[in-house]
Amino acid sequence: GENVEQHPSTLSVQEGDSAVIKCTYSDSASNYFPWYKQELGKRPQLIIDIRSNVGEKKDQRIAVTLNKTAKHFSLHITETQPEDSAVYFCAASIWDKLIFGTGTRLQVFP
Amino acid sequence: DAGITQSPRHKVTETGTPVTLRCHQTENHRYMYWYRQDPGHGLRLIHYSYGVKDTDKGEVSDGYSVSRSKTEDFLLTLESATSSQTSVYFCAISESQGNYGYTFGSGTRLTVV
């Protein structure tokens, strides 16, 4: 069935370094790829998304890249800050629903 | 807040009892979803709705049923709660199918003892 794999499951970086989270999806019909950030005890919140007709999208320190041929997409966070510490989820659209990855716990150490 | 509220926020129930969780939205969005969140599994889709009285199963629908009699309300029912259904349940809404970001509710933490 539809599947989204996310790696790594945990990621620790020093403040100011970059962080990269990678996802792969199985359904070639997927055309929408959002990323969510979930702080401890809070709801997941959309931080950036990309559609299949775009290869890269940036929003300040956050960027997402998409390789449709390889069915890969990635989240890049530059100049990480302690407030970036959270769990990040990728997702891929399958018709009228989103399938989520298993999450990456990012810890940014001062 | 975000136009979507879940109730209750926390619930403890006994094995074998029925439980209903409510999701209420004020955004008039057509699509509503129920996910469960468990460590190591991320967010898994239980059921979703694409309109009043129109629902479909997700990847982990066994033991759950849903109803949507009004645009604004989507109910999730655990017919006979089991310990494996202890989880955090999130409702989400979307204005369009599959290619727009969701807005999530604050979640319901359910413990089955």
Side-chain angles (χ1 to χ4, degrees):
Chain A
E2 307 95 351
N3 188 44
V4 176
E5 294 189 359
Q6 183 172 348
H7 299 281
S9 57
T10 60
L11 180 59
S12 297
V13 300
Q14 205 75 31
E15 181 177 0
D17 287 350
S18 295
V20 180
I21 303 170
K22 298 182 179 182
C23 290
T24 61
Y25 60 98
S26 59
D27 195 322
S28 57
S30 295
N31 61 2
Y32 175 67
F33 309 90
W35 287 87
Y36 288 81
K37 176 183 180 181
Q38 185 180 29
E39 297 176 348
L40 190 63
K42 301 288 183 62
R43 72 185 81 191
Q45 294 200 299
L46 179 68
I47 56 171
I48 195 168
D49 56 14
I50 192 168
R51 301 184 191 281
S52 59
N53 57 347
V54 175
E56 182 175 2
K57 183 177 179 180
K58 287 184 179 179
D59 183 3
Q60 300 181 0
R61 295 185 297 108
I62 293 174
V64 58
T65 59
L66 172 64
N67 182 330
K68 283 215 73 179
T69 303
K71 297 182 189 172
H72 290 171
F73 58 114
S74 300
L75 178 71
H76 304 253
I77 306 174
T78 58
E79 301 173 23
T80 53
Q81 301 168 2
E83 52 264 37
D84 293 329
S85 296
V87 177
Y88 292 81
F89 292 98
C90 64
S93 64
I94 306 292
W95 299 110
D96 50 3
K97 55 187 180 288
L98 292 177
I99 302 300
F100 286 83
T102 51
T104 296
R105 181 172 299 280
L106 174 64
Q107 291 183 299
V108 181
F109 293 97
Chain B
D1 195 349
I4 175 173
T5 55
Q6 292 184 232
S7 59
R9 292 295 310 276
H10 302 272
K11 186 170 182 67
V12 179
T13 192
E14 293 186 349
T15 299
T17 60
V19 177
T20 295
L21 309 182
R22 181 183 184 232
C23 178
H24 178 78
Q25 61 144 330
T26 58
E27 305 295 324
N28 201 37
H29 285 345
R30 178 180 173 190
Y31 291 85
M32 299 185 76
Y33 305 84
W34 278 107
Y35 285 84
R36 61 177 289 175
Q37 184 174 26
D38 305 287
H41 292 279
L43 294 155
R44 292 181 293 174
L45 182 63
I46 305 171
H47 282 282
Y48 65 104
S49 170
Y50 45 95
V52 174
K53 293 191 169 66
D54 292 323
T55 64
D56 204 349
K57 295 180 180 180
E59 56 190 309
V60 290
S61 60
D62 287 349
Y64 302 95
S65 63
V66 290
S67 66
R68 190 166 179 202
S69 58
K70 298 184 291 185
T71 298
E72 56 265 36
D73 289 324
F74 192 32
L75 304 180
L76 176 70
T77 297
L78 287 65
E79 307 288 350
S80 175
T82 67
S83 58
S84 64
Q85 294 176 312
T86 292
S87 186
V88 179
Y89 292 85
F90 283 100
C91 176
I93 59 175
S94 176
E95 62 181 293
S96 183
Q97 65 175 44
N99 56 2
Y100 280 85
Y102 292 176
T103 300
F104 282 90
S106 298
T108 294
R109 182 173 296 277
L110 176 68
T111 303
V112 183
V113 297

